Amino acid sequence: MKRTLFHQSSMTEGPVLQGMLAFFLPIMLGTLLQQLYSAVDAVVLGQFVGKTALAAVGGSDIVLINLIVNFFVGLSSGASVVISQHAGAQEHEQVSKAVHTAIFLAVIVGALTTLLGTTVAPLLLPALNTPEDTLQYSKDYLVWYFAGMIPSMIYNMGSGILRALGDSKRPLLFLVVCTIVNTILDLLFVAVFKMEVAGAAIATSLSQIICAWLVIHTLRRANGDYHLEFQKIRPDAWLLKRMLVIGLPAGISSMLYNITNVYVQKAINMLGTDTVAAWSVFWKLDGIFWPINNAIGIAVMTFAGQNYGARKKDRIFETMRVGFLLHFAMCALIGGGIFLTRDWTIRLFNSDPAVVEQGRVIIGYLAPCYILFSATEVLSSMMRGVGNAVKPTIITLFGACVLRLILLFTMTFPHLSNLTIALCYPITWAAASAMFLIYYKHNDYESGAFNLLAGSPGGRSLLPAEDLPSADALNTLFLQYGLYKYPARLLNAIMRGHNIDINIDLGERSESISCSSTRDDAEIAFQFFHLTVVHPRFSRPDFDKYVRANKIQRTYAKPTTDDSIASV
């Protein structure tokens, strides 16, 4: 029997907290497993090669990897938003086209990342004042790590597709398999074959190939809207443009954020190998929090995107509130855990007394401060989910990147120490969050709003059964068909940027149509409302396909009278 992921997803119905937890937890576990990839590399190298190798892969290398990889991952994130919006709107054909466009984008992005990473990144190491004794290790790791970027991007894009359509469990299972493989290969290449840092990087790249194969195999075997066919992997110009319009600001935001970290790493390198190793240990522990932070952002963005596509504004705001709740809880859990276990966890990576002492101090400065980033992550993810990608980039640019550079050159470099380096983070997290909260407060989506409701206590049997779509499907499908002479794609393009919601409700004993908008969009809202009532479209093949996919049962009630119209 054919299945679609629309049937699996509960993002547009049911309790938001329960739905987000079910969606978020597999992503959280998956991102932790991804971090375990890097942590295994560090532990194996720190124990079997030494603190020099640990400093190499956890210092300048990780900064350059994040700079290049996160830009392209951000660029690709627009695909998940586009797919989730079409999934929420039940636009099956568009979902299929978006899936094939996304895989095409992943291959191109992976090739570009490999090219830049293997040629440009090693040349930047001397500019970061990378310690001489770690330089060759750093070059070896970068070249072999970036060699595996095409399968890595395919896996990330494929898992993003599955998550956008409501399936966050299978990407987790794939990572479980690949983490086990990565650990075995790390021990084999480093401890047995003595391949040092190159062996750790090769192990990671080979594991990514397995991840990519698993996700492609899943999409190939799927039946329904997300079924992948190799011959259909080509860009749809309109969808690709939308993906890039949404993803490019996210990529730029990530790149700007990591450019500041390049200067932070330069300051760290100036304090010597022991300090670099201590910060490397902190980055590995700090890396437990940021994947969870990103998982919350993915959940908020995906839920907001699907409910935006389904035109369920109340659920978007509920998604934001649940996102804050999850983020506060994770900040307390992860930050507190890192702080309380720091003596044991630092020695897990390296037991050198100088490294342990500096690591304890650094963790004490930063682990309690993660909560300052909550508003930035939750509000920016919600904004991107509804297609507003530019403003989060601008706020992040000024709130985090520009201010951090100012602090680096006015505080850190003139008074170089672990304290002045660490202070750059909580200050800029708090500033960015404050800017997002101010923006949110002064952009009240309900300001100047009006609502129009036309209702008829009567029920569905006022129309012949053969002419009336299922009540469960109608509100979801009526915009998918388009209105009047406007097909759905053109209608969505016209409505983008306008704050207008139209909802149709057919219950057992009543029927109604409602419209909500703002004063600025009032004229367009009334035109839209008129077309909905007077010139609706209906596609029997599309409707029947929806009914078959979702097993909708049609029921009808006896008619009553007393039509009414109300405006509030």
Side-chain angles (χ1 to χ4, degrees), residues 61 63-70 72 110-122 139-153 201 205:
D61 275 11
V63 171
L64 291 175
I65 288 170
N66 287 339
L67 175 65
I68 296 174
V69 172
N70 287 350
F72 286 107
L112 291 174
T113 309
T114 297
L115 179 63
L116 287 175
T118 54
T119 58
V120 177
K139 290 180 179 179
D140 292 343
Y141 190 83
L142 285 176
V143 170
W144 285 107
Y145 182 90
F146 278 109
M149 279 298 102
I150 291 180
S152 177
M153 289 297 173
S205 294

Side-chain angles (χ1 to χ4, degrees), residues 191-207:
V192 179
F193 294 160
K194 308 297 182 183
M195 297 173 65
E196 298 185 328
V197 296
I202 292 170
T204 299
S205 294
L206 290 176
S207 301

